[in-house]
Each structure stands twice: as structure tokens, then as C-alpha cells.
Amino acid sequence: MRIVVLVKYVPDINADRRFEDCRVVRSPGEGTLNELDENALEAALRIVDSLDDDARAAAEVVALTLAPEQGDLALRKAYQMGVDRGVRVTDDALAGSDYAGTAAALAAAVRRLEADGPVDLVVTGMAALDGLGSVVPALVATELGRPALTFAKKVALADGVLEVVRETDEATETLTAPLPAVLSVADTANTPRMPNFKLIMAARTKTIEAWSLADVGLDAGLVGDAGARTATTHAAPRPAKPEVELVQDKGEGGKALAEFLLRHDLV
Ligand SMILES: Cc1cc2nc3c(=O)[nH]c(=O)nc-3n(C[C@H](O)[C@H](O)[C@H](O)COP(=O)(O)OP(=O)(O)OC[C@H]3O[C@@H](n4cnc5c(N)ncnc54)[C@H](O)[C@@H]3O)c2cc1C
């Protein structure tokens, strides 16, 4: 069983976000592993944990990111959780990639990994907290020609068939697909494990493979600004929220509340 987990290096959501030329400024040292990808890592590691001894010994979990060099931080965190291999795709030509370009490059890297043996499953988080597109998993599946089971709240694998439970506004769905497949897991799917001291120490010196677009055999014209099918035409930080106004009820609270609603055109 070989599983590739897509992990994204994202700006820390607690830090101030700035835009330049419609792009998020990604200052070195301010990024982190996309928190929702911890659920993806946990799902992959649990699948391996559930295998019998021989299958578990032969299994490999690869963490893959498309990011500048700082993206190694995301891969080190993946190593801390227990993955076997970390791969980063970095290339100047990737700057300005949209969803399609991102998915094309990630899929090309998965295909490159397949040079060493089949990849049974690609696991992702349900969204990257900087972009919040939630479309990369389906696009990667399309690129690879594999079924996509997305937003899974429960994941089970038996006899080469993946079964997930996902919830939409209208229904609870149970879906199955044969491997190889692409899976995105919801934040409610599991509780990510805490790395132990041994893995934290080992993660510091683990090898991270860095690949270029040429290494993954992808034409630079399909990614980055050159290949983007969408253009961000405007990006601005949200205006600060107005200060909270506390209405003290000294017998006239209802009146004060009504005045507040009228003053702000809320009724
Ligand atoms: C003009 C422009 C410039 C950009 N420049 C950069 C840049 O310099 N660096 C950058 O990282 N992004 C950049 N992006 C964003 C990049 O294209 C997004 O990563 C991509 O569009 C994915 O969308 P999302 O973040 O909404 O992913 P979602 O679809 O919300 O992600 C879902 C899941 O897919 C996986 N995933 C998504 N993206 C990646 C990734 N890059 N690596 C590994 N796994 C991933 C994760 O598991 C994630 O949880 C840029 C976008 C634009 C439009």
C-alpha cells in the first residue's frame, strides 16, 4: 500500500495577511502546515496502522507539497506525525499557479512517484486555509483519471475498496470506490495524533527530496502565470470589524436596541 498525502505550506492564519499584486505575501518563517492537512495525514497513517504486519511493513506514506523552500516546514511536521518520505516540488515557473496549475503539478509529482511503484491512494485535507478553494482534490483526481471521494467524515478500506461517509446539506451519503483513488477528509474525520519525542527528533534530519518541473516531466507552460486559466483581478484585506457596542439595559434596553438597529439600517 502506497499513500501520498498532499500537504500545503500556508501563511499562519493568526498572522496579518498582506497582498501585493493580488498575491498573498508569503514571508519566510511565517508559514505553517495547513492545519486541515493534519487530518489527511492522520487518515493515511490510520489506514496503514489497520494493515496486517506484513502489509504494514511494506507500506509507504509520502508527504508531497508544492511550495517554495519554506514548505519543508510542512514536510517536517508530516515527518513528526510519522510519514516515511517527504517530497517538495519547487520551481520558479510555478509562481502564480491557479487551481488547475496546482493540480497539474501535484498530479505530475504523483506520476513521478509511480516510477517506484503504484500509488494506491492520494489523501488531502478538505481545504487549504489560505485559498479555501476545496477544489484541488477533485482536480488532482481528474488529472490522474481516478475517482474522488471528498469531504469524508468516515473512512474505511477493505479488500481494495474505499468507503467513505460524507455529509451534504441534504443527505448523508455513503460512497465507495476501488483503489487507486483520491480522498479528501473533513476536519471531523479524526483527531490528529500528537507527535512523540522520538519522531520529533528524527524529523529534524530526515531527507526532503526537492523536485523541479523538469523532474516531474511537466511543461512549464501548463503552470504558473503562463498556464493560469483564472486571474485574480482584485485582492484587499477585509475592512476591520466595527467596534462592539454594548447596550446597557437600565429599563430602556429594548428602545436602545431598536434605535441601534434603525441607525445601522438593520430593520
Ligand atoms: C496569482 C496566484 C498566485 C499564487 N501563488 C502561490 C504561491 O506562491 N504559493 C502557493 O502555495 N500558492 C500560491 N497560490 C495558490 C495556489 O494556486 C493554491 O495552492 C491553489 O490554487 C490551491 O487552492 P487552495 O489553496 O484553495 O486549495 P484547496 O483546494 O482548498 O486545497 C485542498 C487540499 O489540497 C491540498 N493542496 C492544495 N494546494 C496544495 C499545495 N500547493 N501543495 C500540496 N497540497 C496542496 C491540501 O491537502 C489541501 O488541504 C497562488 C494563487 C494565485 C491565484
Side-chain angles (χ1 to χ4, degrees), residues 78-92:
Y79 271 131
Q80 288 178 6
M81 283 181 71
V83 305
D84 305 293
R85 188 172 169 190
V87 175
R88 166 170 53 80
V89 180
T90 304
D91 199 299
D92 288 346

Side-chain angles (χ1 to χ4, degrees), residues 54-202:
D54 288 346
R56 196 165 54 241
E60 185 182 42
V61 179
V62 184
L64 169 66
T65 193
L66 186 69
E69 267 174 45
Q70 301 96 279
D72 284 0
L73 188 142
L75 295 173
R76 297 255 171 247
K77 290 211 165 173
Y79 271 131
Q80 288 178 6
M81 283 181 71
V83 305
D84 305 293
R85 188 172 169 190
V87 175
R88 166 170 53 80
V89 180
T90 304
D91 199 299
D92 288 346
L94 285 167
S97 294
D98 61 3
Y99 300 122
T102 302
L106 288 168
V110 172
R111 284 193 292 265
R112 159 77 201 261
L113 284 163
E114 296 222 278
D116 314 336
V119 169
D120 303 288
L121 190 59
V122 176
V123 188
T124 80
M126 68 175 188
L129 288 168
D130 58 342
L132 288 175
S134 290
V135 296
V136 167
L139 289 174
V140 168
T142 306
E143 287 279 342
L144 293 172
R146 295 177 188 181
L149 301 185
T150 55
F151 297 104
K153 292 187 93 173
K154 282 190 192 155
V155 180
L157 181 67
D159 302 326
V161 176
L162 186 66
E163 179 176 296
V164 308
V165 177
R166 72 199 294 271
E167 263 163 39
T168 66
D169 286 344
E170 295 84 28
T172 300
E173 300 172 337
T174 301
L175 304 174
T176 61
L179 297 184
V182 177
L183 163 73
S184 87
V185 293
D187 56 344
T188 48
N190 53 45
T191 303
R193 65 195 61 192
M194 293 294 287
N196 64 38
F197 183 69
K198 201 171 141 203
L199 283 173
I200 291 174
M201 294 310 285

